[in-house]
């Protein structure tokens, strides 16, 4: 195990740890709100990773301000574009999840998905 | 492209489907009337049954005639369509297919005419005859199939179309028995398919060729695997033939099925398992491949065990049809034992026994059906004194029993003689003498469970029941007499049959 | 460039825009628009298929005429066009079959919303089939998820909302992994277009560089898509979602949505990574094991089920297991078998769902097993259709299921180590299938019926539903065609896979 490597790429490591936190929250939490928070952490971690990969030390954002400079002066704009797209996707997904949660809460007055399941089974519908 | 072959398979199938549609629409009307009126009285269906009988009889005679002429007029083959790459649905008539097709046709005619009268008290005749005709077409297809995949296709169809016959009276027991039958057959068939996949890889082709098509080059080094596959196939197809350990469906299915259905089930369907094993061992794998291997020995041991166990169980059984079912279990394993010996004499014996057993067991079940439909007797000890009431029927029963035990001059004697001789000839250590011993013991047991019925039938101890002589209707009697005559004829004039069968044996085992 | 090359892109755009259009229409018109759109897209896909078959090679459609490494591309081969056509046919039949249920179960004011979702779903499926860009694929995966969720929850009761929530959670886990996998791959290769990635990956694989990250990214994508397509043990959401949503949703979800993800996985295997690299990695072993587990466990759960819809749903778990097992074999013919099974399962499972609804209608709306006695006589077409579907699922010759089983068996023979487990699993799962499907069929045709249902005071009304009947007849035909005329379809799949490279 090369710890020096890990330290050099600490930002990526952080992104991965965040992804893990988000993933396990989404998977294991019972509370729907916490699940949604987990989802957002997970997505954000991925965007962090993407943004890190797209950034090159000492270069500018690819916005042409003062005349055309050489290509080497800018970073690659595609990862940023991907992050933007990803954010849009995750916002819409989050909105959908939240609306579902509201529906469920209005019906069952709880945010615990397992409890809702057992209640549904009891109703026998 | 040979139209004749296709027609002989398609005619009964189409005729059966037409009947099924008719029966189905009848059911629909019933369901509707049930929905409207709350009275659940079943409509009497007796009117119009005559028309049905004429229709079924005509179709049956026509398709049997067609099948026999197709079978006995020269070599025919037909490729219908291609299923996967290089696996066509392919038919081809060879000697053994001819033999089986002929047996099927005779038994089908006998049990079919018998059923005209018998099925009256079971009801739902249209459905019964629909599936009956359908099954005949499928069996013809099975006998004529020219490669393993086609055979498998019709084998599965056979299971599917014969299941409704078991299911016929629709009681809970019948449903359970049918499910059991389906389950065992499916397990068996998929074990067979499992083996087919292996053979597909190691054989030159899946077309039936005398002596086998196993490719020695690709198979070398995979001997153990292939042997296992072959064994699995034997056990799998043996399920249909009631071989231990997959025999349990027979005693469950026979008592609940209508008697003519059990007659064809025991006489014919069970033989399809035998045919499948013959096809796999003698036509695809080749007898040389398993000679002297553990597969042959285990197979022999299994069949001998089944022979003995079946007889024992039959001996202890008190329900008549169940007793006959166990008897089938034991008798079919005679045939399989003969096949497992892998020599000419034994093969001849096995095929002779196939023929004899088909006629005899069909006849036995039909007699059981006579007793059941006229008196409602299902248990063995109820049959005392029946010989006075129905002498002809009882005499037929006696002939069938003698043939099954193997007493000359019946067909059973010849076939068992060949089986025993083949076993002694084979020179496989213990088995060569163990075989005849088991056969003998089982024959004694067979005598023990079949003949007392005759004896008590004619000479009931103590006081007689009220005797009024009443033979069953001619439709039931004639098939019985014909089958009994065939059973005797096979023993009296065996030579043409032996000649035909030993020719097959010669081509298969040089 | 021929005009016909525009069709794939036009079909995606058409279905995308017909969604918003539906929002300003009322339910009835939205339905008509939806049907028309599906038909038109089907016709377009058919002509694309004919075109591709005619020229004998695939084509690339550049979006906005940006060339390769920068622009976004659509890539069309035989298999893509065929899949698009097939999906359109199945979707049209599913929509036809479920007309009456939709009108009954969905509030009138929300009916047009349903068609928005269906249009979006079709759009995302088409995009998944055609796209040559991984990130685009990701975006459409999410659109697919959202619209599928909409399809589940449109019938508003507690069950469906709960099922939709569970579905969303599992799907989001899956798409999170997929996205991370795509990011890894992008990081490794610097490309998003599938063909460009493949060049780089082949180079990396040849030199042995970055072996671990490559496998990790491959694993992430495979597992992500496996979760989304309900591979065992990630199937917990499936029975509820299929069992309680409205009929056409259940049919579409089971036959198309999961298949879209699986098709994307095939594309990732062939076009992004390269099949040789896949075969060397351990990922396919994992898929193989879980596929086999799914085959067995899905059937076991189905046997225990007492509700006919949920039983069919559990059977889907088993069938998805078959497909992944085929991938797991790691041979070309295994993939062919899997793709054939995608087709055969799509045709059969939607048939079963539609037929089951006809049967439950004839049993007073009850889906419980005990109430179905004799329903085959009360609704004849549905009964026959269910029997056909069951036989196909069990693998009876003549129906599509048999061919796929034969193909799986053939594929297994080409593999030394996985041969035995595959064949045994095939045999066991077939027998299990036979148990529960045959049990149902026997129940459907058990005599002495009618009365019992009457006794319990249920009213049995069999309304003639022409749309459903048409759908059922076509489904049966589709099954028979796939079962009897399999040769050309298999050739098509094989040539399509060759065009992938």
């Amino acid at each position: 195990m090369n710890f020096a490597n890990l330290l050099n790429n600490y930002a990526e490591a952080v992104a991965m740890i965040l992804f893990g936190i988000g993933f396990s929250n989404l998977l294991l939490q019972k509370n729907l709100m916490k699940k949604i928070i987990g989802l957002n952490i997970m997505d954000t971690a991925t965007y962090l990773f993407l943004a890190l990969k797209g950034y090159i030390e000492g270069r500018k954002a690819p916005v042409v301000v003062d005349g055309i400079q050489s290509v080497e002066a800018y970073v690659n704009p595609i990862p940023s574009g991907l992050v933007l797209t990803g954010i849009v996707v995750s916002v819409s997904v989050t909105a959908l999840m939240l609306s579902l949660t509201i529906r469920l809460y209005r019906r069952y007055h709880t945010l615990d998905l397992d409890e809702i399941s057992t209640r549904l089974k009891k109703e026998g519908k | 492209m040979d139209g004749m072959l296709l027609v002989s398979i398609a005619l009964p199938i189409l005729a059966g489907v037409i009947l099924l549609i008719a029966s189905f629409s009848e059911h629909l009307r019933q369901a509707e009337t049930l929905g409207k009126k709350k009275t659940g009285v079943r409509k009497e269906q007796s009117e119009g049954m005559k028309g049905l009988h004429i229709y079924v009889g005509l179709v049956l005679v026509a398709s049997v005639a067609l099948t026999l002429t197709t079978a006995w007029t020269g070599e025919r083959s037909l490729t219908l369509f291609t299923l996967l790459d290089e696996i066509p649905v392919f038919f081809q008539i060879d000697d053994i297919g001819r033999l089986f097709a002929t047996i099927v046709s005779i038994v089908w005619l006998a049990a079919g005419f018998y059923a005209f009268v018998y099925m009256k008290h079971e009801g739902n005749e249209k459905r019964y005859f629909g599936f009956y005709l359908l099954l005949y077409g499928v069996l013809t297809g099975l006998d004529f199939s020219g490669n393993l995949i086609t055979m498998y296709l019709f084998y599965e169809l056979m299971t599917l179309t014969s299941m409704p016959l078991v299911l016929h009276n629709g009681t809970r027991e019948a449903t359970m028995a049918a499910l059991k039958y389906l389950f065992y057959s499916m397990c068996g068939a998929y074990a067979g398919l499992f083996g087919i996949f292996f053979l597909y890889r190691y054989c030159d082709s899946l077309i039936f060729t005398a002596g086998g098509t196993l490719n020695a080059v690709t198979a070398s080094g995979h001997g153990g695997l292939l042997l296992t596959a072959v064994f699995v196939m034997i056990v799998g197809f043996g399920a249909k033939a009631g071989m231990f350990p997959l025999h349990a469906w027979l005693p469950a299915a026979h008592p609940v099925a209508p008697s003519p259905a059990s007659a064809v089930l025991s006489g014919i369907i069970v033989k399809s398992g035998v045919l499948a094993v013959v096809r796999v061992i003698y036509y695809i794998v080749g007898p040389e491949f398993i000679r002297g291997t553990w597969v042959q020995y285990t197979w022999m041991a299994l069949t001998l065990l089944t022979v003995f166990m079946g007889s024992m169980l039959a001996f202890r059984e008190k329900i008549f049809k169940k007793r006959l079912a166990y008897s089938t279990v034991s008798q079919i394993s005679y045939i399989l034992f003969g096949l497992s010996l892998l020599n000419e004499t034994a093969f001849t014996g096995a095929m002779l026994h196939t023929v004899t057993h088909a006629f005899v067991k069909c006849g036995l079940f039909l007699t059981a059906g006579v007793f059941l439909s006229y008196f409602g007797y299902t248990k063995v000890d109820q049959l005392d004194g029946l010989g006075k009431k129905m002498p002809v029927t009882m005499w037929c029963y006696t002939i069938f029993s003698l043939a099954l035990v193997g007493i000359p001059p019946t067909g059973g004697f010849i076939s068992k003689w060949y089986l025993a001789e083949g076993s002694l000839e084979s020179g496989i250590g213990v088995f060569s003498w163990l075989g005849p011993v088991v056969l003998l013991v089982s024959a004694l047991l067979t005598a023990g469970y079949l003949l007392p019925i005759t004896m008590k039938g004619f000479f009931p101890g103590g006081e007689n029941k009220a005797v009024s002589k009443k033979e069953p209707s001619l439709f039931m009697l004639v098939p019985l007499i014909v089958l009994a005559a065939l059973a005797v004829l096979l023993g009296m004039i065996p030579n043409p049959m032996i000649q035909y069968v030993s020719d097959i044996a010669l081509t298969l085992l040089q | 460039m021929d005009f016909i090359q525009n069709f794939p892109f036009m079909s995606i755009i058409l279905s995308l825009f017909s969604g918003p259009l539906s929002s300003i229409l009322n339910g009835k018109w939205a339905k008509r628009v939806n049907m028309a759109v599906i038909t038109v897209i089907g016709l377009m896909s058919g002509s694309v298929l004919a075109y591709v078959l005619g020229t004998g090679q695939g084509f690339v459609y550049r979006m906005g005429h940006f060339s390769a490494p920068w622009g976004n591309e659509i890539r069309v081969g035989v298999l893509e066009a065929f899949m698009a056509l097939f999906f359109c046919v199945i979707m049209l039949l599913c929509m036809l079959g479920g007309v009456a249920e939709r009108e009954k179960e969905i509030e009138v004011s929300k009916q047009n919303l349903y068609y928005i979702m269906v249009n979006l779903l079709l759009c995302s499926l088409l995009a998944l089939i055609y796209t040559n860009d991984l990130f685009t694929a990701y975006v459409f995966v999410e659109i697919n998820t959202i619209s599928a969720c909409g399809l589940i929850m449109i019938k508003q009761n507690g069950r469906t909302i709960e099922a939709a929530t569970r579905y969303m959670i599992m799907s989001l886990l899956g798409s999170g992994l997929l996205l991370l996998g795509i990011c890894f791959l992008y990081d490794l290769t610097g490309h998003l277009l599938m063909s460009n990635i493949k060049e780089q990956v082949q180079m990396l694989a040849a030199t042995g560089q970055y072996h671990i990250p490559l496998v990790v990214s491959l694993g992430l994508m495979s597992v992500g898509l496996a979760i989304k397509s309900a591979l065992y043990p990630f199937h917990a959401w499936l029975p509820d979602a299929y069992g309680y949503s409205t009929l056409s949703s259940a049919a579409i979800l089971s036959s198309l949505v999961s298949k879209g993800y699986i098709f994307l996985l095939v594309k990732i295997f062939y076009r992004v990574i390269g099949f040789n690299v896949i075969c060397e990695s351990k990922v396919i072993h994992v898929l193989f094991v879980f596929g086999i587990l799914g085959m067995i466990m899905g059937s076991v759960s189905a046997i225990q089920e007492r509700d006919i819809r949920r039983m069919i749903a559990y059977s889907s778990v088993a069938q998805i297991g078959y497909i992944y097992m085929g991938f797991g074999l790691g041979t070309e013919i295994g993939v062919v078998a899997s793709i054939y099974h995608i087709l055969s399962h799509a045709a059969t499972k939607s048939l079963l769902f539609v037929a089951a609804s006809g049967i439950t209608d004839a049993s007073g709306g009850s889906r419980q097993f005990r109430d179905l006695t004799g329903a085959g006589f009360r609704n004849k077409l549905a009964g026959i259709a269910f029997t056909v579907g069951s036989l196909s699922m069990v693998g009876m010759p003549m129906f599509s299921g048999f061919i796929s089983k034969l193909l799986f068996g053939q594929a297994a023979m080409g593999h030394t180590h996985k041969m035995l487990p595959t064949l045994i699993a095939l045999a066991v799962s077939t027998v299990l299938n036979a148990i529960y499907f045959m049990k149902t069929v026997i129940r459907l045709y058990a005599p002495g019926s009618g009365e019992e249902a009457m006794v319990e005071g249920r009213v049995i009304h069999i309304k003639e539903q022409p749309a459903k009947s048409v759908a059922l007849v076509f489904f049966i035909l589709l099954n028979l065609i796939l079962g009897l005329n399999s040769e050309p379809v298999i050739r098509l799949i094989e040539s399509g896979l060759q065009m992938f490279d």
Side-chain angles (χ1 to χ4, degrees):
Chain A
M1 196 70 197
N2 198 343
F3 283 103
N5 234 342
L6 202 63
L7 280 179
N8 280 341
N9 298 320
Y10 67 96
E12 283 89 344
V14 168
M16 284 306 106
I17 291 167
L18 275 177
F19 186 88
I21 292 172
F23 189 84
S24 40
N25 264 310
L26 179 55
L27 188 62
L28 301 176
Q29 285 286 357
K30 277 185 183 165
N31 190 310
L32 277 171
M33 290 309 292
K34 289 184 184 166
K35 268 185 192 291
I36 294 170
I37 293 170
L39 163 73
N40 277 291
I41 295 174
M42 185 177 85
D43 279 350
T44 315
T46 322
Y47 306 142
L48 173 62
F49 180 76
L50 257 182
L52 277 169
K53 290 289 119 186
Y55 181 66
I56 302 169
E57 194 81 42
R59 293 198 187 173
K60 285 186 191 169
V63 182
V64 182
V65 190
D66 31 40
I68 299 162
Q69 297 179 2
S70 65
V71 181
E72 272 72 38
Y74 301 120
V75 296
N76 185 357
I78 290 181
S80 323
L82 296 186
V83 169
L84 277 179
T85 320
I87 288 173
V88 172
V89 170
S90 79
V91 163
S92 52
V93 170
T94 311
L96 181 59
M97 274 304 283
L98 282 171
S99 76
L100 276 170
T101 311
I102 292 170
R103 283 278 168 84
L104 280 176
Y105 187 76
R106 279 201 191 134
R107 244 169 223 268
Y108 298 100
H109 299 286
T110 173
L111 287 171
D112 185 340
L113 200 54
D114 292 338
E115 201 188 316
I116 295 173
S117 294
T118 46
R119 233 188 263 184
L120 273 167
K121 276 206 187 96
K122 256 183 218 158
E123 283 173 26
K125 279 195 292 195
Chain B
M1 203 70 187
D2 192 325
M4 192 94 165
L5 220 169
L6 190 63
V7 172
S8 69
I9 296 170
L11 173 70
I13 292 184
L14 282 181
V17 169
I18 291 172
L19 261 191
L20 284 181
I21 292 170
S23 136
F24 194 80
S25 56
E26 205 163 85
H27 262 278
L28 276 179
R29 254 176 280 133
Q30 250 175 45
E32 269 168 32
T33 47
L34 274 180
K36 279 171 195 152
K37 289 181 283 178
K38 285 203 173 179
T39 49
V41 190
R42 186 153 291 198
K43 213 168 50 182
E44 279 303 315
Q45 302 175 337
S46 54
E47 79 271 15
M49 279 304 129
K50 199 159 248 167
L52 171 75
H53 290 162
I54 293 170
Y55 170 77
V56 174
L58 279 179
V59 170
L60 208 53
V61 170
S63 46
V64 163
L66 202 62
T67 308
L68 289 182
T69 44
T70 318
W72 292 96
T73 50
E75 303 284 324
R76 288 164 194 274
S77 61
L78 162 74
T79 309
L80 208 54
F81 54 84
T82 313
L83 211 58
L84 290 184
D85 34 80
E86 290 141 41
I87 307 181
V89 175
F90 171 67
F91 298 102
Q92 173 187 317
I93 299 178
D94 56 1
D95 284 336
I96 197 154
R98 247 172 233 148
L99 180 68
F100 272 85
T102 313
I103 306 174
V104 171
S105 303
I106 294 172
V107 169
W108 227 254
L109 270 183
F113 282 111
Y114 176 95
F116 287 162
V117 180
Y118 183 88
M119 289 312 288
K120 256 182 202 148
H121 86 273
E122 293 270 356
N124 252 332
E125 288 168 73
K126 271 190 187 154
R127 192 180 68 194
Y128 175 82
F129 283 114
F131 279 112
Y132 191 75
L133 291 177
L134 198 63
L135 189 52
Y136 180 64
V138 170
L139 281 167
T140 315
L142 181 76
D143 293 338
F144 289 165
S145 52
N147 66 17
L148 214 46
I149 295 288
T150 315
M151 191 194 79
Y152 175 77
L153 210 145
F154 279 96
Y155 193 83
E156 285 276 36
L157 282 179
M158 176 185 73
T159 305
L160 210 65
T161 42
S162 56
M163 189 188 72
L165 298 184
V166 178
L167 196 62
H168 189 80
N169 65 13
T171 56
R172 191 174 167 73
E173 286 148 34
T175 315
M176 287 319 287
L179 274 178
K180 201 169 181 181
Y181 170 56
L182 188 75
F183 182 69
Y184 275 82
S185 302
M186 287 255 168
C187 281
Y190 282 111
L193 186 64
F194 178 83
I196 291 175
F197 287 141
F198 283 92
L199 294 183
Y200 179 67
R201 186 168 174 195
Y202 295 112
C203 288
D204 290 333
S205 77
L206 290 181
I207 295 175
F208 298 135
T209 325
T213 63
L214 201 65
N215 190 323
V217 182
T218 44
S220 65
H222 299 281
L225 192 70
L226 258 175
L227 281 178
T228 318
V230 171
F231 183 68
V232 167
M233 285 178 95
I234 291 174
V235 173
F237 287 128
K240 208 59 167 214
M243 192 174 82
F244 181 84
L246 293 175
H247 63 281
W249 65 271
L250 265 160
H254 279 90
V256 294
S259 289
S262 1
V264 298
L265 214 61
S266 211
I268 299 300
I269 305 285
V270 169
K271 300 292 186 310
S272 313
V274 174
L275 180 65
V277 172
V278 172
R279 291 292 197 194
V280 169
I281 299 299
Y282 289 90
Y283 285 85
I284 296 291
V285 180
E288 292 314 312
F289 183 69
I290 65 165
R291 191 188 297 283
T293 60
W294 62 270
V295 173
Q296 194 193 2
Y297 299 139
T298 325
W299 186 14
M300 273 185 199
L302 278 180
T303 52
L304 287 181
L305 183 69
T306 321
V307 167
F308 187 67
M309 186 195 67
S311 306
M312 275 314 278
L313 287 171
F315 193 71
R316 293 161 40 119
E317 186 56 57
K318 286 283 171 271
I319 296 171
F320 191 34
K321 281 175 86 177
K322 237 181 183 172
R323 179 178 280 191
L324 293 179
Y326 278 123
S327 154
T328 303
V329 170
S330 120
Q331 297 292 327
I332 297 291
S333 277
Y334 275 68
I335 302 171
L336 290 177
F337 176 68
L339 295 178
S340 71
L341 286 167
L342 304 175
N343 68 37
E344 281 165 45
T345 326
F347 185 86
T348 312
M351 283 302 111
L352 285 176
H353 202 63
T354 309
V355 180
T356 316
H357 182 259
F359 297 153
V360 166
K361 193 44 71 63
C362 175
L364 280 173
F365 270 109
L366 294 186
T367 7
V370 171
F371 299 149
L372 188 71
S373 68
Y374 277 83
F375 306 108
Y377 294 163
T378 54
K379 295 227 171 89
V380 173
D381 43 9
Q382 290 170 322
L383 303 176
D384 295 1
L386 272 183
K388 294 272 164 58
K389 285 184 196 166
M390 295 183 161
V392 182
T393 316
M394 211 54 179
W395 271 111
C396 289
Y397 173 79
T398 314
I399 293 172
F400 293 138
S401 309
L402 292 178
L404 206 60
V405 178
I407 292 171
T410 55
F413 171 70
I414 311 281
S415 54
K416 289 196 180 175
W417 179 267
Y418 270 88
L419 281 176
E421 203 177 307
S423 173
L424 288 173
E425 251 175 39
S426 67
I428 312 172
V430 186
F431 284 107
S432 64
W433 59 266
L434 188 64
V437 169
V438 172
L439 293 193
L440 202 63
V441 171
S442 160
L444 284 178
L445 284 171
T446 312
Y449 63 73
L450 286 178
L451 292 180
I453 297 175
T454 309
M455 286 192 270
K456 284 189 182 158
F458 284 119
F459 313 110
E463 76 280 18
N464 265 354
K465 288 178 197 168
V467 177
S468 62
K469 207 165 167 181
K470 183 173 178 269
E471 287 293 343
S473 99
L474 272 184
F475 270 116
M476 291 171 121
L477 204 56
V478 171
L480 283 178
I481 296 172
V482 169
L483 287 173
L486 279 171
V488 176
L489 265 182
L490 279 175
M492 305 265 268
I493 321 168
N495 280 340
M497 197 70 205
I498 294 176
Q499 191 57 43
Y500 183 77
V501 174
S502 55
D503 280 351
I504 304 179
L506 262 179
T507 54
L508 291 179
L509 297 141
Q510 276 89 8
Chain C
M1 195 176 90
D2 288 317
F3 179 68
I4 221 163
Q5 293 192 356
N6 290 311
F7 277 9
F9 176 68
M10 277 160 72
S11 55
I12 296 174
I13 284 295
L14 182 63
S15 52
L16 190 61
F17 282 144
S18 62
L21 179 65
S22 299
S23 66
I24 54 166
L25 298 171
N26 63 11
K28 203 173 252 174
W29 273 100
K31 182 177 83 185
R32 286 173 195 161
V33 166
N34 172 267
M35 295 274 188
V37 163
I38 299 175
T39 318
V40 168
I41 292 175
L43 290 176
M44 277 166 40
S45 312
S47 52
V48 171
L49 178 63
Y51 173 80
V52 179
L53 280 176
T55 55
Q57 55 189 12
F59 61 85
V60 172
Y61 179 87
R62 289 170 302 150
M63 313 274 279
H65 293 282
F66 290 110
S67 50
W70 298 285
N72 200 339
E73 278 182 1
I74 280 177
R75 199 178 157 122
V76 185
V78 172
L79 194 53
E80 285 95 332
F82 180 64
M83 276 290 176
L85 173 63
F86 188 78
F87 278 15
C88 285
V89 171
I90 294 280
M91 184 171 259
L92 188 64
L93 291 180
C94 289
M95 294 304 285
L96 262 182
V99 169
E101 278 75 9
R102 288 203 300 274
E103 277 165 9
K104 203 167 68 190
E105 286 166 358
I106 302 172
E107 292 169 40
V108 180
S109 58
K110 291 190 173 142
Q111 294 217 347
N112 57 348
L113 300 181
Y114 187 81
Y115 297 103
I116 301 177
M117 288 303 164
V118 175
N119 285 331
L120 281 182
L121 189 75
L122 181 60
C123 154
S124 61
L125 280 173
L126 289 171
L128 284 185
I129 289 172
Y130 285 131
T131 184
N132 195 28
D133 182 287
L134 259 186
F135 204 79
T136 313
Y138 165 73
V139 173
F140 279 100
V141 161
E142 290 287 25
I143 294 177
N144 202 341
T145 308
I146 292 173
S147 50
C149 179
L151 289 188
I152 297 172
M153 60 181 284
I154 193 89
K155 179 180 161 188
Q156 300 205 355
N157 59 32
R159 281 279 194 191
T160 52
I161 296 178
E162 189 241 353
T165 316
R166 282 193 186 279
Y167 173 69
M168 276 308 279
I169 291 167
M170 286 318 276
S171 287
L172 291 173
L173 286 173
S175 40
L177 293 179
L178 175 68
L179 178 60
L180 195 64
I182 292 174
C183 291
F184 270 30
L185 210 56
Y186 180 53
D187 181 24
L188 281 175
T189 60
H191 288 290
L192 283 171
L193 281 182
M194 296 187 179
S195 14
N196 297 69
I197 297 179
K198 189 175 171 187
E199 285 168 21
Q200 300 292 321
V201 168
Q202 292 291 342
M203 228 165 67
L204 287 180
T207 54
Q209 274 178 302
Y210 295 118
H211 180 64
I212 295 173
L214 199 59
V215 172
V216 168
S217 110
L218 176 58
L220 285 172
M221 288 190 292
S222 309
V223 174
L225 287 171
I227 292 179
K228 289 182 84 80
S229 51
L231 177 64
Y232 182 88
F234 308 114
H235 67 284
W237 56 269
L238 187 141
D240 278 355
Y242 291 7
Y244 298 109
S245 53
T246 183
L247 172 64
S248 40
S249 304
I252 290 175
L253 280 170
S254 64
S255 53
L256 300 182
V257 173
S258 47
K259 305 300 180 314
Y261 301 137
I262 293 173
F263 191 75
L264 179 62
L265 192 62
V266 177
K267 279 173 60 159
I268 288 177
F269 280 179
Y270 268 86
R271 289 247 295 266
V272 180
I273 310 287
F275 204 56
N276 49 345
V277 182
I278 298 284
C279 293
E280 285 158 21
S281 71
K282 303 276 185 295
V283 176
I284 57 166
H285 301 315
V286 178
L287 291 184
F288 179 74
V289 170
F290 281 112
I292 281 193
L293 277 177
M295 282 162 70
I296 309 284
M297 297 312 290
S299 301
V300 170
S301 313
I303 288 177
Q304 293 162 347
E305 195 51 62
R306 290 274 158 270
D307 177 325
I308 185 170
R309 277 275 284 275
R310 284 171 61 94
M311 183 193 87
I312 303 172
Y314 271 120
S315 144
S316 283
V317 177
Q319 304 301 322
I320 301 266
Y322 275 84
I323 296 172
Y324 276 96
M325 181 201 73
F327 290 147
L329 286 171
T331 53
E332 174 103 21
I333 181 162
V335 177
V336 172
S338 289
I339 294 178
Y340 193 84
H341 199 65
I342 291 178
L343 304 178
S344 121
H345 180 237
T348 314
K349 198 41 69 70
S350 37
L351 165 67
L352 279 173
F353 270 117
V354 177
S357 90
I359 286 165
T360 49
D361 278 354
S363 313
S366 165
R367 294 164 173 182
Q368 291 303 311
F369 222 66
R370 56 172 188 277
D371 299 326
L372 300 180
T373 317
F377 294 119
R378 296 193 288 268
N379 192 342
K380 45 187 170 170
L381 184 62
I384 293 170
F386 193 87
T387 314
V388 169
S390 305
L391 292 181
S392 173
M393 280 280 129
V394 175
M396 258 315 143
M398 279 166 62
F399 301 111
S400 56
F402 175 67
I403 303 292
S404 49
K405 226 152 256 181
L406 217 55
L407 281 171
F408 277 123
Q410 226 177 351
M413 293 313 299
H415 206 288
T416 355
H417 305 298
K418 290 175 182 167
M419 175 166 67
L420 266 183
T422 313
L423 289 181
I424 290 171
L426 266 178
V428 170
S429 104
T430 307
V431 170
L432 293 177
N433 272 345
I435 291 178
Y436 60 85
F437 274 122
M438 287 300 118
K439 194 175 72 179
T440 320
V441 170
I442 289 177
R443 168 68 55 137
L444 289 185
Y445 286 99
S449 53
E451 298 154 76
E452 292 160 39
M454 292 302 298
V455 170
E456 286 168 37
R458 285 208 190 81
V459 189
I460 296 171
H461 51 92
I462 307 159
K463 261 192 302 183
E464 282 301 317
Q465 293 177 2
K468 190 179 274 179
S469 308
V470 169
L472 281 176
V473 169
F474 274 101
F475 272 133
I476 294 175
L477 282 181
L478 201 60
N479 246 296
L480 283 174
I481 291 170
L482 281 177
L484 290 174
N485 198 19
S486 49
E487 185 89 4
V489 179
I490 294 169
R491 294 274 160 281
L492 211 70
I493 294 172
E494 277 168 356
S495 62
L497 281 180
Q498 270 160 16
M499 271 185 203
F500 265 3
D501 293 332

